[in-house]
């Protein structure tokens, strides 16, 4: 009996570790910013909602990442060897089975909150299929950015519904927040492509750094500054906070312009996600400001 229990605990632990390695590279780019977004946009009324938000985001992120990592596992063999398939933690066949089992899992889990959350899950899964299995990720950067933005909007809608006191309703601030965020992703998500340029060339992706190398880095700093100014006005930031937010955008954009090695681009992308998390938190500032 004790041996069976220990084997069960070990299996659960190994499954959790495997899930972590599937999603590891996207925890800072998706889990953290969208959690910040949901807390601010809903707003979150009780701290007990936080695990619900994070798990809803994570299980859908796992669905996306398993789909993505079963498309071209040979690419991960070269530069992402700690992922479950190249590391041997999971076979390609088992990963494919997991990929399709996760879809009904996400649907059922979302339906436990509300029909609206279920719709957000369906939308997110649909954009996952378009992006991965239908190869939008390998298409022109405009298509790639738009599908990315739509997928993130679905993420945010579902997470915000889970965070709020009523999982059936998104109020006007939440809807405006999602629209702003979709615009940010559509115009700045190329920040993630600089560090992956070598691998993207190998598989024929048409990202901005590849298609428009002479102006690619300016497509980060200009939108960041414009969005920082626009969000400052939209969410009524006071002059001090607005200046700090604009300064951060200038710092991030300048890093992309000045430092062009792969390690430097990885650090710059980290700072982009710091800016993004703050941008996603601004609706919460507005709610507090409006109540004062």
């Amino acid at each position: 009996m004790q041996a069976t229990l220990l084997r069960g605990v070990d299996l659960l632990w190994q499954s959790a570790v495997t899930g972590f390695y599937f999603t590891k590279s996207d925890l800072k780019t998706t889990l953290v910013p969208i959690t910040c977004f949901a807390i601010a946009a809903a707003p979150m009324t009780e701290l007990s909602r936080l695990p619900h938000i994070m798990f809803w985001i994570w299980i859908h992120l796992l669905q996306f990442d398993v789909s993505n990592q079963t498309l071209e596992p040979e690419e991960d063999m070269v530069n992402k060897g700690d992922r479950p398939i190249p590391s041997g933690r999971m076979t390609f066949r088992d990963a494919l089975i997991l990929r399709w089992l996760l879809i009904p899992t996400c649907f059922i889990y979302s339906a436990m909150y509300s029909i609206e959350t279920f719709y957000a899950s369906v939308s997110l899964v649909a954009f996952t299929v378009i992006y991965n299995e239908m190869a939008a990720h390998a298409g022109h950067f405009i298509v790639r950015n738009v599908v990315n933005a739509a997928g993130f909007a679905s993420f945010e809608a579902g997470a915000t519904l889970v965070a709020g006191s009523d999982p059936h309703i998104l109020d006007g601030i939440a809807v405006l927040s999602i629209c702003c965020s979709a615009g940010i992703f559509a115009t700045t998500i190329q920040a993630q492509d600089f560090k992956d340029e070598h691998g993207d060339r190998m598989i024929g992706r048409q990202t901005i750094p590849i298609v428009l190398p002479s102006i690619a880095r300016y497509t980060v700093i200009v939108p960041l500054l414009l969005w920082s100014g626009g969000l400052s006005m939209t969410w009524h930031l006071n002059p001090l906070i607005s200046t700090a937010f604009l300064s951060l955008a200038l710092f991030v954009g300048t890093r992309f312009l000045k430092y062009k090695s792969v390690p430097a681009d990885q650090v710059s992308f980290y700072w982009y996600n710091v800016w993004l998390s703050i941008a996603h938190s601004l609706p919460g500032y507005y709610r507090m400001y409006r109540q004062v």
Side-chain angles (χ1 to χ4, degrees):
M1 182 67 178
Q2 185 177 8
T4 302
L5 180 61
L6 288 174
R7 282 195 297 271
V9 171
D10 183 65
L11 178 61
L12 287 173
W13 172 251
Q14 293 303 323
S15 298
V17 171
T18 300
F20 168 77
Y21 278 111
F22 268 120
T23 59
K24 176 185 174 184
S25 61
D26 288 326
L27 295 179
K28 67 179 181 296
T29 63
T30 303
L31 181 65
V32 172
I34 295 180
T35 298
C36 292
F37 178 92
I39 291 171
M44 189 179 73
T45 55
E46 299 177 2
L47 189 60
S48 61
R49 304 303 299 166
L50 184 58
H52 291 261
I53 302 165
M54 296 186 72
F55 187 76
W56 190 91
I57 296 170
W58 183 82
I59 195 70
H60 285 80
L61 180 60
L62 179 64
Q63 177 269 150
F64 175 87
D65 282 335
V66 176
S67 167
N68 187 265
Q69 292 171 36
T70 53
L71 293 179
E72 294 164 336
E74 63 277 0
E75 180 188 355
D76 289 341
M77 291 286 187
V78 178
N79 54 12
K80 295 175 182 176
D82 62 341
R83 288 181 169 177
I85 297 174
S87 68
R89 295 191 66 89
M90 179 173 282
T91 66
F92 178 74
R93 177 179 177 276
D94 288 345
L96 276 179
I97 293 172
L98 176 63
R99 187 266 176 280
W100 296 109
L101 284 176
L102 281 167
I103 291 178
T105 301
C106 288
F107 288 170
I108 293 168
Y109 182 64
S110 297
M112 293 169 61
Y113 288 100
S114 68
I115 189 65
E116 289 80 7
T117 311
F118 168 76
Y119 292 153
S121 181
V122 171
S123 176
L124 178 51
V125 168
F127 284 118
T128 296
V129 173
I130 293 170
Y131 188 81
N132 289 331
E133 279 79 13
M134 295 178 66
H137 70 279
H140 194 274
F141 67 82
I142 294 178
V143 175
R144 189 165 179 256
N145 281 24
V146 169
V147 174
N148 252 313
F152 274 107
S154 301
F155 253 124
E156 291 164 350
T160 303
L161 286 165
V162 172
S165 56
D166 185 346
H168 296 279
I169 297 174
L170 293 173
D171 68 8
I173 295 175
V175 172
L176 177 59
S177 301
I178 292 169
C179 291
C180 288
S181 180
I184 290 171
F185 281 117
T187 55
T188 68
I189 195 63
Q190 63 269 18
Q192 70 181 354
D193 295 331
F194 295 95
K195 60 184 176 55
D196 298 325
E197 183 177 350
H198 176 69
D200 288 342
R201 286 185 184 277
M202 289 175 57
I203 61 175
R205 284 181 180 158
Q206 295 180 304
T207 63
I208 289 181
I210 295 171
V211 177
L212 301 171
S214 61
I215 65 169
R217 292 179 181 271
Y218 290 96
T219 69
V220 177
I221 187 170
V222 173
L224 285 184
L225 290 172
L226 291 176
W227 276 111
S228 295
L231 292 173
S232 294
M233 291 186 288
T234 298
W235 303 123
H236 296 188
L237 304 188
N238 70 42
L240 181 61
I241 296 176
S242 179
T243 300
F245 189 47
L246 280 161
S247 298
L248 178 60
L250 181 62
F251 167 74
V252 175
T254 302
R255 272 200 60 93
F256 275 102
L257 286 174
K258 187 175 181 180
Y259 304 108
K260 302 179 181 180
S261 67
V262 172
D265 283 332
Q266 290 172 334
V267 174
S268 296
F269 185 54
Y270 166 81
W271 279 106
Y272 165 81
N273 281 286
V274 173
W275 177 88
L276 183 62
S277 294
I278 294 172
H280 279 166
S281 302
L282 296 180
Y285 170 89
Y286 176 75
R287 287 186 186 275
M288 289 187 294
Y289 170 86
R290 192 179 63 168
Q291 292 172 359
V292 174

